[in-house]
Amino acid sequence: MTYVGPSQVIVKNLSTGTRVVLKSHYGYEIDEVKILGKDRYLVAHTSDTLLLGDISSNKLSEVAWQGSGGNEKFFFDNENVCMIFNAGELTLVEYGNNDILGSVRTEFMSPHLVSVRINERRQRGVEENKRLAYLIDIKTIATVDLVGSYNAGSISHDSKIDWLELNETGHKLLFRDKKMRLQLYDVESSTKTTILNYCSYVQWVPGSDVVVAQSRNNLCIWYNIDAPERVTMFPLKGDIVDLERNDGKTEVIVSEGVNTVSYTLDEGLIEFGTAIDDGDYHRATAFLETLEMSTETEAMWKTLSRLALEARQLHIAERCFAALGNMAKARFLHETNAIADQAAQEHGGDGTDHYLVRARLAMLDKNYKLAEMIFLEQNATEEAMDMYQELHMWDECIVVAEAKGHPMLDKLRRGYYQWLLDTQQEEKAGEVQEGHGDYLAAISLYLRAGLPAKAARLAMSRDELMTNGDVINRISTALIRGELYEQAGDLFEKVGNPRKALECYCKGSAFLKAVELARLAFPAEVVKLEEAWGDHLVQQKQLDAAINHYIEARCSIKAIEAALGARQWKKAIYILDLQDKQTAAKYYPKIAQHYAALQEYQVAEELYIKGDQTKDAIDMYTQAGLWEQAHKLAIKCMSQEDVSVLYITQAQEMEKQGKFKEAERLYITVDEPDLAITMYKKCKMYDEMVCLVARYHKDLLSDTHLHLGKELEAEGRLQEAEYHYLEAKDWKATVNMYRVNDMWEEAYRVAKAHGGTNSYKHVAYMWAKSLGGEAAVKLLSKFGLLEMAIDHAADSGVFEFAFELARLSMKQKMPEIHLKYAMFLEDEGKFEEAEAEFIKAGKPKEAVLMFVHNQNWDAAQRVAEAHDPGSVADVLVGQARFAFEQREFQKAEAFLLRAQKPELAIKYYKEADMWSEALRICKEYVPSRLEELQEECGREAAKKGSGGTEGLLEQAREWEQAGEYARAVDCYLKVRISNNSVLMEKCLLKAAELAIKFLGQSQSMEVTRTVAPQLVAMKKYSSAAELYLNLDLIREAIDAFIEGEEWSKAKRVAKELDPSRSEEYVDQRYKEYLKNQGKVDSLVGIDVMAALDMYAEQEQWEKCLEVAAKQNYKVLHKYVALYATHLIREGSWDKALSLYVHHGAPANPQNFNIYKRLFVEMVNASGMNCAEAYSSWADLRDVLFSLCENLVKSSEANTPAHEEFETMLLISHYYATRSAAQGVKQLDTVAAKLSISLLRHTELLPADKAFYEAGIAAKAVNWENMAFIFLNRFLDLSDAIEEGNVDSLDHSDFQNTDIPFEVPLPAHQHVPEENREEARDWVLTMSMDQRLEQVLPQDDRDTYEASLVAANTGVRSLPCVLTGYPVLRNKIEFKRPGREANKDTWNKFLMAVKTSHSPACQDVLKFLSQWCGGLPSTGFSFQ
């Protein structure tokens, strides 16, 4: 840039060499020049103007511009215009133009939300085309014509808009919202269309009106945007990234992961749009004729047809309509073209100005008035009338005829009227008649046309019609039928029928008229009508209008609700203030919310309080940040705890927003300064934090300063840390901080200023130590602290430093340092090094004492002999003391005598309580002290005799030797040693021994009774028992042995010394012991029954039965019965049954209930009607057979119980045989017969289950009659169980059979719901079958074939042992009387057994052999 003057700058592009001269036309000085927008655009400021330029096109602009501090934002996205945003205003400057193009207010600065088009595509007849689209707010777009500076339109949308762009001509606008919906807006027609519901990319194709967009995985192209519904779609794999158009080719660039793919658009279709814009319709037609018809092509033909008509290129328009298949328009245009061609031949030109052509084009455009005007201008009245008649526009035709005084006018009118009637246009016909004054005819026609309102209007306008009752009735009826109640009301009111009129007004919601009428005619009903009016207005959402009506009707609640709904807040408050408090309370908060939203908080608060909602008022103030007002209210109505929670939560929000002062104020308000302190600490705002601590926690201020000092030190802010440390009065921490950071001058300064008299010396010492050598000596000499430093170093154990200082400056202090070093080494346990230092310090005696102290006698002796002979005696005394401690008295004595210290030997012996040795030494070496020592010894002995265990024992022994046995015993009994039981036992036994030997019977007895319990407590049972036995206390001795569980000794003593009484006593105690210990196995040998009872209690049944089996049969079956009862109670009847299978079934009457219970459980059990259940039924059968065999031999033979068990045996045999037969296909009829035979025993079986099984079995073998009857009976029983009574049962089907009527009703259903429903459906189906006979099959006795008793004679037949059916002839008899079988059945059964080898069937035959006394001689083998 070269400044050639204050107002002129030459800008040169060094890369291209292009030059631009930037000059202010007004001569203002240019302040600053910026190159922006990819180095293409210039921006320069002067004091009053702004200079802009496009370097590439050399277009420069200078516009008036008041400086705004350089806050402008420039956008260069559009190469024709610069967009400038400044303070919410968008200014447009066109390059090369010195006037501002336009300026609008908008807050949205993104280039995606502003679109400018400046003469980008030339259009026919348009010189200047400059358009702008921008956002007024986030949901509203405005379009501006920049040439005329007027608003071309605005678009309101329901969602936020995130992108918009005009097309190049500025006539179409695309925009997208946040929901990704793409919208098209036509600026000319102001119509908005959604063209895509999901759009991730959209762009206008340059130089055309073609749109390209992406919707998920589809590429969408609109070649003709005038038909937005015509869209071409292609599937895509990636995302569109760009659109390129050059060299007559348009490509969409798509990124598919790492690859980039281009899709080429149909340039021909794009070319069509360009041809249209250029007005070259022949080229557009030629192009369209090359295309096949498609949705896009059709849209293009339509566009071309419209444009061709506007341009009066009628041949092209005809071709277009022909292509579109609109033959009517094509033919009409063909005829028009023929007229135009003829006119062209006659008059020249293209013929389109001929009046017929112009009129026909007006008709094609449906502008018939224009066509009429053209015809009439040419005086072609007939053609105008023909046109209207052809179009059935009779009114217009008649108007033309009237205007022109046409002779056919009357005929036209008659024809028109007739035509109206023929085409059922009664309304129009009525209007014609009304016009002619024939009112009755007009009314009739109106009513026929279903237009009673029109008829009523006519009637009310003519007085003569109002008196015609028939007409009025017809009209009113029609009005009411058509629900035109208001008009009916007007009619009734006009004819003087106010009641009817009022009803109609109410029905038609014409309340104004109703109230006015009621005020005149029915004043009492006005209030009710006002309320109804209010209700109607509320339904119509006219709430504000309803309020006054409710007030008039005195409906206060409704008035309030309407006022609230209409947002008439003041009116609502006025009404509420007139109500009682309870009614008004719930409405005040709603109004309060409104005033809160308007920030009229005082009013809102009053309303909340009136509505008893103070909490809501607090919340309002809280949300508004008015914490003082909120707190003032809160303390009145909330607990302190709730107030605190509220304020703390809000303070934390403030804290997050960085509003620390506000947060502090909230914390302080609820007495939580600690939280404010924590907040400031977290934000490192230490001054504020310290202020709060000083105000609220003076006691913690020092700790706070200390803590802050540490934190600041860690952050390296040492000066600040020093301030806090010193404020905390902790100068040492400050010194230490500077010392760690090697800032010794600072440390020394602080120590001298704030420390004690010695503190700065210590710092100087540490400083010197860090320096070392000569420097250290110089520093300490400078401060006069050298000797002090040496002493301090030695005292602190820093000996190297001490030696270094002494060696360099004060050699006279070396021995003293050596001595201190030696002591230090001694403490460290480095004795050899310490020895050397002691000797260097000239203190060998200290070395000797060190070794003596550590009991290193050899080293002590060595050092003493070498360096200090006077210390040898001290070494010997030390050795002696150690030997005494180790109780090596002889060695210690020898050392002391060597050291010539006999008095020390005496002292040590005395301390060890060895008076004899002390006396010996005294006698030998210090005889002068012998007498004194003997006295002392006597005193000590006397003192010990009166207390202490040793003293008591000594005293006892002395009494014993003196023959004072009673006293000796007392002494022994006084001994109490908890930690030495052996000595204690000895003392007790000694006392007892002395008492028995030397004291009388009573005393010895007393001592023994004292001593023995103590021995028992010490678990010395044998010793205690022996003492008791010595005095013949046999029972006590036995108890002692029992206490110690020494049962064999107890038994032996009882047996030998007191067999009559004590033996049984010991046995009884032993049993109790075994029971308590649960040692049942041991109890068996003593008391079997007790052991068995214990096994039973502990539910060790197998062990119980095993032991019982070793006793007798009766005992065994007692416990078998107990176990069986236990199992049945637990629901394990199958295990109980197997017990009796295993152990047999004795005929004990007390067991009968168990057997019956087993039978009942089994017949009631589910899942037993199958081949797999055979083993269970066989077990029951065998147990009952065993029982019946035993009953025959017992006293219970032939009793009712015996008969009942025989019946149960028979039933269980039938069940077992049925299960066996179910396992063999040939025996299915045998199984069915057994199920049917069981029905005669329903007094013992659950009836519903028995009939169901019989019915299903009969159905299975196609015995449908029986199946129907049995299942029908089953369903009746099932219903009876549900109802709980049998009154409704019908027994007619079972008359003259042995199936009992009176049977117990089961307590619950035995057949599942699903099976019951199946049976019910089958019975219902079969009941429709005409072939079915509802009778049981009969045999030649005329009796039901399964009945044992003949109906006519009463003769009872025997049942077949295999089926239970009666045996009539062809029978097989067994050895046991009363056992027979049908021969056919028997042979069939035998054959089935032979062919199937069924183990179950073989077992049935085996049972029959036992039960019937053997099988008939058919030679069957069981093998």
Side-chain angles (χ1 to χ4, degrees):
M1 279 183 279
T2 308
Y3 284 82
V4 295
S7 62
Q8 191 168 344
V9 182
I10 298 172
V11 181
K12 183 177 180 182
N13 188 331
L14 297 176
S15 59
T16 61
T18 56
R19 290 173 37 149
V20 175
V21 178
L22 192 64
K23 181 180 179 183
S24 170
H25 297 293
Y26 305 103
Y28 293 122
E29 184 179 338
I30 297 172
D31 295 335
E32 177 187 15
V33 180
K34 293 178 185 173
I35 311 293
L36 302 172
K38 298 181 182 174
D39 295 342
R40 177 175 171 180
Y41 299 99
L42 292 171
V43 175
H45 286 274
T46 73
S47 59
D48 287 9
T49 62
L50 179 68
L51 287 89
L52 301 162
D54 181 351
I55 297 173
S56 62
S57 64
N58 205 5
K59 289 181 178 176
L60 303 175
S61 303
E62 182 176 11
V63 296
W65 193 261
Q66 291 304 314
S68 57
N71 293 323
E72 305 94 345
K73 284 191 169 59
F74 297 91
F75 289 96
F76 302 101
D77 297 71
N78 191 312
E79 58 186 31
N80 296 316
V81 68
C82 177
M83 291 188 275
I84 309 167
F85 281 101
N86 181 35
E89 190 166 313
L90 168 64
T91 304
L92 303 176
V93 178
E94 187 179 356
Y95 299 117
N97 194 327
N98 290 336
D99 292 316
I100 289 175
L101 182 60
S103 181
V104 292
R105 297 287 302 175
T106 178
E107 296 296 326
F108 303 95
M109 297 202 304
S110 168
H112 298 304
L113 299 174
V114 178
S115 178
V116 187
R117 295 295 190 181
I118 307 292
N119 298 330
E120 290 188 30
R121 207 163 78 228
R122 292 292 175 186
Q123 301 164 73
R124 287 192 324 278
V126 179
E127 284 299 315
E128 291 281 295
N129 182 27
K130 299 177 183 181
R131 295 289 180 104
L132 163 69
Y134 68 98
L135 285 186
I136 297 173
D137 60 51
I138 198 68
K139 294 183 181 178
T140 311
I141 304 171
T143 57
V144 177
D145 188 315
L146 296 170
V147 177
S149 300
Y150 63 87
N151 197 330
S154 68
I155 309 124
S156 293
H157 193 52
D158 57 358
S159 291
K160 293 180 180 178
I161 296 160
D162 67 357
W163 179 90
L164 59 86
E165 189 170 11
L166 288 162
N167 71 341
E168 292 170 346
T169 60
H171 296 314
K172 305 277 185 188
L173 171 70
L174 282 176
F175 66 92
R176 188 183 72 174
D177 60 26
K178 288 283 184 186
K179 294 179 181 175
M180 310 298 276
R181 295 177 302 188
L182 183 63
Q183 313 281 339
L184 173 69
Y185 180 72
D186 188 316
V187 179
E188 304 298 320
S189 65
S190 302
T191 53
K192 181 174 73 171
T193 312
T194 302
I195 62 171
L196 211 54
N197 280 322
Y198 183 88
C199 172
S200 54
Y201 176 92
V202 59
Q203 194 62 50
W204 291 101
V205 172
S208 76
D209 286 343
V210 176
V211 177
V212 173
Q214 181 174 359
S215 176
R216 295 189 171 86
N217 295 328
N218 289 310
L219 168 64
C220 306
I221 306 157
W222 286 266
Y223 286 109
N224 182 3
I225 199 63
D226 288 326
E229 72 282 357
R230 311 289 194 197
V231 57
T232 306
M233 299 180 90
F234 300 105
L236 277 183
K237 287 184 181 173
D239 295 321
I240 300 176
V241 292
D242 201 4
L243 186 67
E244 294 179 356
R245 188 173 194 205
N246 44 38
D247 301 332
K249 187 177 179 185
T250 305
E251 290 184 322
V252 179
I253 311 302
V254 178
S255 170
E256 296 183 355
V258 294
N259 300 322
T260 302
V261 180
S262 63
Y263 291 77
T264 304
L265 301 190
D266 188 329
E267 193 62 33
L269 294 177
I270 298 171
E271 183 59 35
F272 169 79
T274 312
I276 289 292
D277 286 337
D278 295 346
D280 192 346
Y281 300 143
H282 288 285
R283 191 171 95 209
T285 309
F287 163 68
L288 286 180
E289 283 177 338
T290 63
L291 302 180
E292 290 184 13
M293 183 57 78
S294 66
T295 50
E296 292 88 354
T297 320
E298 186 181 336
M300 290 176 194
W301 279 116
K302 280 184 181 174
T303 304
L304 183 57
S305 68
R306 178 173 54 78
L307 294 171
L309 277 176
E310 287 172 5
R312 290 204 185 177
Q313 297 193 16
L314 304 184
H315 288 284
I316 291 172
E318 180 189 341
R319 174 70 189 90
C320 291
F321 287 122
L324 289 167
N326 190 336
M327 297 318 294
K329 282 190 176 180
R331 188 180 296 113
F332 187 81
L333 279 171
H334 183 72
E335 292 167 1
T336 307
N337 279 326
I339 295 166
D341 292 345
Q342 190 178 345
Q345 286 173 8
E346 291 175 5
H347 308 294
D350 61 0
T352 55
D353 285 334
H354 190 272
Y355 82 94
L356 268 178
V357 174
R358 285 188 292 121
R360 286 177 72 86
L361 287 177
M363 288 160 66
L364 190 63
D365 197 30
K366 295 188 172 58
N367 193 344
Y368 303 116
K369 278 291 172 192
L370 177 60
E372 178 196 325
M373 190 176 79
I374 293 166
F375 280 131
L376 294 180
E377 279 175 357
Q378 301 298 322
N379 205 20
T381 309
E382 290 290 338
E383 283 92 332
M385 288 170 62
D386 289 346
M387 172 187 76
Y388 281 133
Q389 282 184 54
E390 194 175 340
L391 293 167
H392 295 295
M393 296 170 72
W394 291 93
D395 288 332
E396 288 79 356
C397 181
I398 289 167
V399 167
V400 171
E402 281 178 342
K404 294 296 180 179
H406 199 277
M408 299 291 287
L409 179 59
D410 289 337
K411 188 179 177 185
L412 264 177
R413 281 177 175 158
R414 285 196 301 278
Y416 177 32
Y417 180 69
Q418 192 56 49
W419 177 78
L420 287 173
L421 293 178
D422 292 345
T423 55
Q424 296 183 342
Q425 296 184 53
E426 285 91 350
E427 180 187 2
K428 196 72 183 167
E431 286 172 359
V432 170
Q433 292 295 70
E434 187 181 342
H436 293 160
D438 190 349
Y439 301 122
L440 285 173
I443 286 170
S444 297
L445 285 166
Y446 286 146
L447 292 175
R448 268 171 62 193
L451 297 166
K454 216 162 187 178
R457 176 192 54 75
L458 177 56
M460 284 192 286
S461 67
R462 312 300 301 178
D463 292 338
E464 67 272 18
L465 293 174
M466 292 302 291
T467 56
N468 189 329
D470 179 45
V471 169
I472 297 301
N473 281 339
R474 279 168 58 208
I475 294 172
S476 61
T477 305
L479 286 168
I480 291 167
R481 193 185 304 121
E483 297 185 359
L484 298 166
Y485 296 113
E486 186 176 353
Q487 290 88 330
D490 290 342
L491 189 62
F492 282 126
E493 191 176 352
K494 191 101 180 202
V495 298
N497 190 343
R499 174 54 67 188
K500 275 273 192 181
L502 188 62
E503 285 175 15
C504 288
Y505 285 145
C506 289
K507 280 184 185 175
S509 301
F511 289 103
L512 178 60
K513 291 180 179 178
V515 168
E516 285 174 356
L517 178 60
R519 282 204 174 104
L520 296 171
F522 311 106
E525 295 183 24
V526 171
V527 171
K528 194 165 72 175
L529 283 171
E530 288 283 2
E531 183 181 355
W533 194 351
D535 292 342
H536 171 69
L537 289 170
V538 167
Q539 284 176 354
Q540 300 297 313
K541 306 292 183 211
Q542 296 178 30
L543 299 170
D544 46 354
I547 301 167
N548 290 328
H549 295 294
Y550 281 136
I551 292 170
E552 289 286 333
R554 300 185 186 86
C555 296
S556 303
I557 300 297
K558 286 186 176 181
I560 293 162
E561 287 174 351
L564 292 176
R567 305 178 69 79
Q568 297 276 346
W569 310 105
K570 288 182 179 173
K571 196 174 275 189
I573 294 169
Y574 171 75
I575 301 167
L576 280 170
D577 288 343
L578 300 174
Q579 309 307 312
D580 62 276
K581 192 174 180 185
Q582 191 175 355
T583 307
K586 67 177 181 180
Y587 296 106
Y588 280 120
K590 292 181 185 175
I591 307 172
Q593 286 166 6
H594 164 72
Y595 282 105
L598 295 179
Q599 300 184 355
E600 293 184 24
Y601 299 120
Q602 193 60 45
V603 179
E605 180 194 331
E606 289 171 12
L607 292 167
Y608 276 130
I609 291 168
K610 280 183 183 177
D612 291 331
Q613 296 290 333
T614 315
K615 177 75 172 62
D616 290 350
I618 295 164
D619 290 345
M620 169 188 77
Y621 280 132
T622 304
Q623 287 161 12
L626 299 169
W627 294 96
E628 286 80 1
Q629 292 93 319
H631 190 256
K632 203 184 296 177
L633 267 182
I635 53 177
K636 289 180 187 173
C637 73
M638 289 170 70
S639 69
Q640 189 60 43
E641 189 180 337
D642 291 345
V643 174
S644 296
V645 169
L646 179 70
Y647 273 67
I648 289 166
T649 308
Q650 189 58 34
Q652 288 165 348
E653 280 301 314
M654 295 283 191
E655 193 179 323
K656 284 177 192 168
Q657 295 165 20
K659 298 177 180 175
F660 300 115
K661 274 293 169 195
E662 291 87 336
E664 178 196 330
R665 200 166 78 247
L666 293 175
Y667 284 133
I668 299 302
T669 306
V670 290
D671 295 328
E672 289 289 354
D674 292 358
L675 293 174
I677 291 165
T678 307
M679 169 185 77
Y680 282 132
K681 181 187 171 191
K682 203 160 60 182
C683 301
K684 300 191 187 306
M685 297 170 71
Y686 297 130
D687 293 343
E688 291 83 350
M689 174 184 167
V690 167
C691 285
L692 286 177
V693 173
R695 198 187 316 160
Y696 295 103
H697 293 295
K698 279 190 179 173
D699 54 327
L700 297 176
L701 185 58
S702 181
D703 291 345
T704 305
H705 278 300
L706 203 57
H707 179 75
L708 291 176
K710 286 176 184 171
E711 283 203 2
L712 290 163
E713 181 185 345
E715 292 171 19
R717 294 155 67 182
L718 304 184
Q719 290 293 325
E720 295 171 57
E722 178 189 332
Y723 165 74
H724 287 291
Y725 279 137
L726 294 177
E727 285 292 314
K729 307 284 191 292
D730 192 350
W731 60 270
K732 288 182 182 175
T734 317
V735 168
N736 193 47
M737 170 183 75
Y738 283 130
R739 184 178 65 75
V740 167
N741 288 282
D742 211 23
M743 296 168 71
W744 289 102
E745 287 93 339
E746 296 298 320
Y748 186 75
R749 172 182 61 76
V750 172
K752 194 152 190 176
H754 300 280
T757 50
N758 292 320
S759 55
Y760 74 92
K761 295 177 184 177
H762 182 66
V763 173
Y765 162 73
M766 296 295 287
W767 187 359
K769 188 180 165 198
S770 71
L771 293 169
E774 293 286 349
V777 172
K778 282 180 186 173
L779 181 71
L780 290 167
S781 301
K782 175 183 161 188
F783 292 136
L785 300 173
L786 186 59
E787 189 173 351
M788 184 280 296
I790 293 168
D791 291 342
H792 184 71
D795 292 342
S796 305
V798 188
F799 295 104
E800 282 181 31
F801 187 47
F803 281 129
E804 186 181 8
L805 291 175
R807 191 171 61 252
L808 290 169
S809 59
M810 298 184 79
K811 288 194 171 98
Q812 70 271 22
K813 289 194 76 72
M814 289 292 278
E816 186 185 335
I817 299 167
H818 279 298
L819 179 61
K820 287 180 180 177
Y821 189 30
M823 290 167 146
F824 171 76
L825 289 168
E826 181 186 351
D827 291 341
E828 291 289 305
K830 298 175 180 176
F831 303 119
E832 282 74 13
E833 297 171 43
E835 177 194 332
E837 293 297 324
F838 276 130
I839 290 165
K840 282 179 188 173
K843 301 280 185 182
K845 187 171 178 106
E846 296 295 329
V848 171
L849 290 173
M850 171 185 75
F851 283 127
V852 167
H853 180 69
N854 287 288
Q855 298 166 8
N856 188 342
W857 311 114
D858 296 339
Q861 193 84 19
R862 174 175 56 72
V863 173
E865 288 170 356
H867 299 287
D868 188 17
S871 299
V872 172
D874 291 340
V875 174
L876 290 169
V877 170
Q879 279 180 285
R881 190 185 299 114
F882 178 70
F884 260 112
E885 286 168 4
Q886 298 298 313
R887 306 193 71 76
E888 295 176 349
F889 301 115
Q890 292 299 318
K891 197 190 279 190
E893 187 182 317
F895 284 134
L896 288 170
L897 292 177
R898 269 177 67 195
Q900 298 178 357
K901 300 276 187 183
E903 64 279 357
L904 272 178
I906 292 165
K907 178 174 176 269
Y908 290 152
Y909 275 132
K910 274 165 60 181
E911 285 172 0
D913 220 9
M914 297 171 70
W915 290 96
S916 56
E917 297 301 318
L919 289 168
R920 177 177 61 74
I921 294 290
C922 187
K923 205 174 195 179
E924 284 183 36
Y925 298 101
V926 196
S928 59
R929 286 188 57 201
L930 182 60
E931 192 177 340
E932 181 192 339
L933 190 64
Q934 283 174 332
E935 285 177 12
E936 190 180 344
C937 182
R939 283 198 304 276
E940 197 64 35
K943 198 189 293 177
K944 280 192 175 172
S946 63
T949 302
E950 290 291 329
L952 283 171
L953 290 172
E954 191 68 36
Q955 190 74 48
R957 282 194 284 272
E958 285 174 13
W959 288 124
E960 192 182 338
Q961 287 167 9
E964 294 283 349
Y965 298 110
R967 291 185 175 184
V969 167
D970 284 345
C971 276
Y972 280 124
L973 289 175
K974 283 177 184 173
V975 172
R976 292 283 181 273
I977 316 162
S978 59
N979 58 353
N980 191 342
S981 60
V982 176
L983 183 57
M984 186 73 189
E985 183 184 0
K986 280 182 182 175
C987 292
L988 291 170
L989 288 172
K990 189 71 176 171
E993 183 189 334
L994 291 174
I996 291 166
K997 279 184 183 178
F998 301 108
L999 302 181
Q1001 174 73 19
S1002 64
Q1003 282 180 293
S1004 62
M1005 184 72 77
E1006 186 183 339
V1007 169
T1008 300
R1009 288 191 183 279
T1010 304
V1011 168
Q1014 290 188 52
L1015 289 169
V1016 168
M1018 292 165 64
K1019 300 188 177 174
K1020 305 294 180 185
Y1021 306 107
S1022 297
S1023 302
E1026 283 173 28
L1027 279 182
Y1028 282 130
L1029 289 173
N1030 284 337
L1031 294 172
D1032 290 330
L1033 295 168
I1034 293 159
R1035 179 59 65 89
E1036 285 82 352
I1038 287 168
D1039 285 343
F1041 281 128
I1042 288 171
E1043 186 80 5
E1045 296 181 9
E1046 294 180 18
W1047 296 99
S1048 54
K1049 289 182 182 179
K1051 283 180 181 178
R1052 193 168 71 246
V1053 168
K1055 190 174 183 181
E1056 291 173 6
L1057 301 177
D1058 190 13
S1060 60
R1061 287 183 300 163
S1062 299
E1063 235 178 330
E1064 189 181 340
Y1065 171 74
V1066 171
D1067 282 346
Q1068 187 60 35
R1069 289 289 300 275
Y1070 188 41
K1071 284 182 195 174
E1072 289 170 13
Y1073 165 77
L1074 291 174
K1075 279 187 178 181
N1076 293 337
Q1077 295 292 314
K1079 296 180 178 177
V1080 192
D1081 297 347
S1082 304
L1083 187 59
V1084 170
I1086 297 165
D1087 188 344
V1088 176
M1089 296 311 286
L1092 288 170
D1093 287 342
M1094 278 194 74
Y1095 278 132
E1097 281 170 23
Q1098 295 171 1
E1099 294 186 10
Q1100 296 185 35
W1101 294 106
E1102 289 172 12
K1103 193 80 175 169
C1104 178
L1105 296 182
E1106 183 187 329
V1107 173
K1110 292 174 185 173
Q1111 309 310 308
N1112 57 46
Y1113 189 76
K1114 192 172 180 183
V1115 170
L1116 171 64
H1117 272 284
K1118 173 188 171 186
Y1119 290 98
V1120 167
L1122 283 171
Y1123 187 20
T1125 306
H1126 169 75
L1127 287 169
I1128 290 168
R1129 201 175 293 124
E1130 288 190 341
S1132 302
W1133 53 265
D1134 49 345
K1135 291 181 183 174
L1137 179 61
S1138 64
L1139 270 183
Y1140 284 108
V1141 171
H1142 183 65
H1143 294 289
N1148 297 339
Q1150 56 266 42
N1151 284 12
F1152 286 178
N1153 280 341
I1154 294 173
Y1155 302 143
K1156 289 177 183 175
R1157 181 67 183 273
L1158 285 173
F1159 175 86
V1160 168
E1161 286 290 343
M1162 200 153 166
V1163 299
N1164 278 283
S1166 59
M1168 301 298 288
N1169 184 15
C1170 59
E1172 290 75 19
Y1174 176 77
S1175 58
S1176 299
W1177 287 119
D1179 285 348
L1180 179 65
R1181 177 197 67 196
D1182 293 346
V1183 166
L1184 290 171
F1185 177 66
S1186 167
L1187 172 63
C1188 291
E1189 291 294 298
N1190 291 337
L1191 280 168
V1192 170
K1193 301 167 193 168
S1194 73
S1195 60
E1196 295 288 326
N1198 300 321
T1199 61
H1202 183 188
E1203 289 173 13
E1204 189 176 5
F1205 283 121
E1206 287 287 359
T1207 306
M1208 288 180 180
L1209 169 60
L1210 180 65
I1211 290 168
S1212 57
H1213 162 60
Y1214 284 166
Y1215 273 125
T1217 308
R1218 183 179 75 178
S1219 284
Q1222 283 170 335
V1224 180
K1225 185 73 182 79
Q1226 304 99 292
L1227 299 178
D1228 53 356
T1229 54
V1230 172
K1233 284 183 176 180
L1234 283 163
S1235 291
I1236 292 162
S1237 296
L1238 283 164
L1239 294 177
R1240 71 173 72 100
H1241 299 292
T1242 43
E1243 71 278 359
L1244 292 178
L1245 304 178
D1248 61 331
K1249 186 181 177 193
F1251 275 101
Y1252 175 79
E1253 288 175 356
I1256 292 298
K1259 178 173 166 242
V1261 294
N1262 297 318
W1263 298 344
E1264 291 183 342
N1265 286 3
M1266 278 202 280
F1268 180 85
I1269 290 167
F1270 294 152
L1271 287 175
N1272 202 17
R1273 179 67 159 187
F1274 155 68
L1275 292 172
D1276 291 345
L1277 282 166
S1278 180
D1279 294 342
I1281 293 166
E1282 293 289 338
E1283 293 162 11
N1285 67 68
V1286 293
D1287 298 343
S1288 59
L1289 285 181
D1290 175 19
H1291 307 301
S1292 58
D1293 288 337
F1294 304 100
Q1295 296 290 342
N1296 301 322
T1297 70
D1298 56 357
I1299 296 171
F1301 298 161
E1302 300 298 328
V1303 294
L1305 186 67
H1308 62 88
Q1309 303 280 2
H1310 286 79
V1311 179
E1313 175 69 26
E1314 186 183 344
N1315 296 11
R1316 296 207 300 274
E1317 288 306 316
E1318 281 179 17
R1320 200 179 299 282
D1321 292 346
W1322 187 81
V1323 167
L1324 198 61
T1325 306
M1326 293 308 291
S1327 65
M1328 306 295 178
D1329 192 343
Q1330 300 298 322
R1331 294 176 289 111
L1332 189 78
E1333 295 178 11
Q1334 195 176 339
V1335 288
L1336 293 169
Q1338 297 192 339
D1339 55 16
D1340 47 15
R1341 298 176 298 165
D1342 294 330
T1343 302
Y1344 163 47
E1345 64 178 21
S1347 179
L1348 299 180
V1349 181
N1352 302 326
T1353 61
V1355 173
R1356 187 179 188 85
S1357 303
L1358 287 174
C1360 173
V1361 293
L1362 281 175
T1363 63
Y1365 267 46
V1367 180
L1368 301 176
R1369 69 181 72 76
N1370 228 355
K1371 63 178 77 168
I1372 288 178
E1373 294 182 347
F1374 294 87
K1375 290 178 185 175
R1376 182 171 289 186
R1379 305 279 190 268
E1380 294 181 353
N1382 279 311
K1383 192 169 185 178
D1384 293 344
T1385 306
W1386 180 258
N1387 290 337
K1388 184 178 182 182
F1389 193 82
L1390 290 184
M1391 182 58 66
V1393 173
K1394 285 178 182 176
T1395 55
S1396 68
H1397 303 292
S1398 162
C1401 292
Q1402 291 175 4
D1403 189 56
V1404 169
L1405 288 175
K1406 189 174 180 180
F1407 167 73
L1408 287 174
S1409 174
Q1410 295 171 336
W1411 187 45
C1412 302
L1415 297 178
S1417 54
T1418 52
F1420 185 85
S1421 167
F1422 295 115
Q1423 304 307 316

